[in-house]
């Protein structure tokens, strides 16, 4: 765990030090003081990390709670607990599938750096972060635009074990590919699998989930090919899409499609499942890309994509229930915010 002194001194997390040249390497490797020789920039990165330690800019994490708060303008704050999550002992449910090439890329990053460089975000029920009491040992804040990130360490109450793997179940919100890569790396190395995680309450009012819209490719969309048990209605751009429904827009078609079970089950209220189960095959379409913002999807349509699929809003409760029931959603179903600041 690193003190935010290093960020306060060296500025934006994407450039941890303003006097760092591109050849200095990444100073955030958790494989800080190992004896093995590493080539090039990683060795320079480790040397820079040692200098941070010597100057007191990075401090070793003690057994205090680490409370991480993200505050954004006009939105509730998101509060969570930061700690190492034991993936061998914990029950961690994925909510969406992974892309093999993305897992391989993150595995290559781990092998090059000898470190897991980004935390994941998971949700737990009844986490009770706001009920944690104790002496505040250290607080640091950093502002990036309109977002304020605050880390506070609180002397641990031995009666409270927020990350105890035996009495909590977690749902992965952000970091499916990182977790898959860590599990694979640990299996190859014969080591324990653990990863730095921000754990938030699944009921946190500051936690937002947005759908990932789809950019499609294939032949012209023919409404007649849509299964007869689905509901089809006309659609105008920028209209809200009901959870579980999908708006399909092409040069010739602009419709919303709702599956028969929409709004009756958690999985029925997730648009990505509706698209996969009822539309991609019958319409002979495949997913070519993703867009968090609707206007980005429309830009792709204007640039020549055969069609776009605009997803309905997603409730985090539906994501959690679907994951715990064992249903794994298509990759890139969701985009969670706010994001953790990393360097």
């Amino acid at each position: 765990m690193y003190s935010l002194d290093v960020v306060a001194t060296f500025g934006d997390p994407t450039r941890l030090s303003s006097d760092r040249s591109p050849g200095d390497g990444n100073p955030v490797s958790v494989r800080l003081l190992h004896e093995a020789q590493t080539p090039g920039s990683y060795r320079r990165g480790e040397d820079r990390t040692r200098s941070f330690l010597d100057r007191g800019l990075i401090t070793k994490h003690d057994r205090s709670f680490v409370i991480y708060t993200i505050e954004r303008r006009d939105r509730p704050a998101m509060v969570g607990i930061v700690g190492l999550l034991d993936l061998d002992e914990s029950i961690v449910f994925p909510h969406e599938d992974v892309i093999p090439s993305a897992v391989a890329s993150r595995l290559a990053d781990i092998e090059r750096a000898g470190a897991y460089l980004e935390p994941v975000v998971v949700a737990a029920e009844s986490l009770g972060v706001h009920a944690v009491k104790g002496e505040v040992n250290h607080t640091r804040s950093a502002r990036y635009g309109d977002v304020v990130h605050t880390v506070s360490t609180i002397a641990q109450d031995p009666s409270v074990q927020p990350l105890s793997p035996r009495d909590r179940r977690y749902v992965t919100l952000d970091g499916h590919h990182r977790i898959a890569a860590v599990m694979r790396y640990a299996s190859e190395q014969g080591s324990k699998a653990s990863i730095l995680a921000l754990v938030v309450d699944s009921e946190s009012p500051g936690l937002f989930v947005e759908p990932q819209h789809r950019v499609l490719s294939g032949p012209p969309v023919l409404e007649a090919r849509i299964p007869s048990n689905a509901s089809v209605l006309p659609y105008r751009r920028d209209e809200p899409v009901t959870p579980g429904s999908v708006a399909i827009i092409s040069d010739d078609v602009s419709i919303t499609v709702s599956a028969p079970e929409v709004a009756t089950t958690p999985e029925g209220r997730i648009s990505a499942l509706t698209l996969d189960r009822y539309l991609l095959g019958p319409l002979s379409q495949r997913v070519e890309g993703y867009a968090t913002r609707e206007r980005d999807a429309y830009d792709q349509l204007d640039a020549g994509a055969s069609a776009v699929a605009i997803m309905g809003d997603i409730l985090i409760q539906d994501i959690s229930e679907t994951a715990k029931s064992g249903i794994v959603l298509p990759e890139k179903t969701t985009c969670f915010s706010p994001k953790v600041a990393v360097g």
Side-chain angles (χ1 to χ4, degrees):
M1 189 68 63
Y2 303 114
S3 164
L4 280 187
D5 288 338
V6 70
V7 176
T9 301
F10 289 106
D12 188 288
T14 59
R15 278 187 61 83
L16 235 120
S17 68
S18 56
D19 63 343
R20 180 163 72 90
S21 69
D24 278 342
N26 185 351
V28 203
S29 174
V30 201
R31 191 175 81 180
L32 297 177
L33 303 174
H34 67 89
E35 297 300 323
Q37 293 294 314
T38 51
S41 64
Y42 287 107
R43 170 56 63 189
R44 291 190 291 273
E46 289 170 8
D47 291 341
R48 176 54 62 93
T49 303
R50 289 188 181 89
S51 75
F52 286 167
L53 285 167
D54 293 341
R55 294 155 63 185
L57 296 175
I58 295 179
T59 58
K60 185 177 180 180
H61 173 49
D62 59 22
R63 291 190 174 274
S64 302
F65 281 135
V66 177
I67 306 296
Y68 191 110
T69 304
I70 304 176
E71 298 171 282
R72 296 176 293 175
R73 181 183 297 176
D74 301 327
R75 288 195 174 186
M78 188 182 79
V79 183
I81 295 174
V82 176
L84 281 176
L85 193 61
D86 188 327
L87 297 175
D88 292 327
E89 298 291 336
S90 303
I91 301 174
V92 183
F93 296 96
H95 81 262
E96 63 184 28
D97 208 351
V98 295
I99 303 171
S101 60
V103 175
S105 175
R106 283 156 180 77
L107 179 62
D109 289 340
I110 292 171
E111 292 170 342
R112 283 194 299 267
Y116 311 140
L117 297 180
E118 283 188 79
V120 299
V121 181
V122 299
E125 294 180 354
S126 304
L127 188 61
V129 176
H130 295 281
V132 173
K133 297 180 180 178
E135 180 183 353
V136 177
N137 293 332
H138 186 74
T139 298
R140 275 300 210 187
S141 294
R143 176 185 291 274
Y144 306 105
D146 293 332
V147 183
V148 177
H149 299 260
T150 302
V151 173
S152 302
T153 59
I154 300 176
Q156 183 159 338
D157 178 351
S159 67
V160 181
Q161 299 293 330
L163 299 186
S164 173
R166 290 179 175 79
D167 58 9
R168 288 208 183 278
R169 300 190 301 169
Y170 306 95
V171 173
T172 305
L173 302 183
D174 187 42
H176 287 83
H177 295 96
R178 278 163 272 166
I179 289 177
V182 167
M183 294 290 289
R184 182 171 159 187
Y185 182 79
S187 176
E188 293 175 354
Q189 300 296 315
S191 59
K192 287 187 67 64
S194 59
I195 193 166
L196 189 64
L198 172 64
V199 184
V200 299
D201 195 305
S202 58
E203 300 294 328
S204 171
L207 183 62
F208 291 84
V209 55
E210 297 175 301
Q212 292 272 58
H213 309 297
R214 270 55 173 157
V215 179
L216 307 178
S217 66
V221 174
L222 299 177
E223 186 176 334
R225 290 186 172 183
I226 296 174
S228 59
N229 59 343
S231 173
V232 181
L233 295 172
Y235 175 75
R236 291 187 302 175
R237 279 196 186 191
D238 301 324
E239 285 183 341
V241 179
T242 305
S245 299
V246 179
I248 300 291
I249 303 98
S250 70
D251 290 339
D252 304 313
V253 169
S254 186
I255 55 176
T256 57
V257 181
S258 300
E261 70 273 20
V262 67
T264 61
T265 64
E267 62 182 284
R269 291 188 291 270
I270 297 175
S271 298
L273 282 178
T274 301
L275 179 71
D276 270 27
R277 291 174 175 177
Y278 291 92
L279 298 175
L280 289 182
L283 296 178
S284 301
Q285 298 292 310
R286 62 180 180 274
V287 177
E288 285 292 326
Y290 305 91
T292 303
R293 300 181 301 180
E294 289 185 26
R295 67 172 178 266
D296 292 337
Y298 289 132
D299 286 345
Q300 291 294 314
L301 180 64
D302 294 339
S306 66
V308 295
I310 303 300
M311 306 286 118
D313 289 339
I314 304 178
L315 300 176
I316 190 168
Q317 292 86 353
D318 289 340
I319 291 294
S320 181
E321 290 303 315
T322 301
K324 290 176 182 177
S325 70
I327 297 173
V328 179
L329 304 178
E331 64 269 13
K332 299 292 184 181
T333 293
T334 59
C335 177
F336 284 89
S337 65
K339 301 293 187 183
V340 178
V342 296

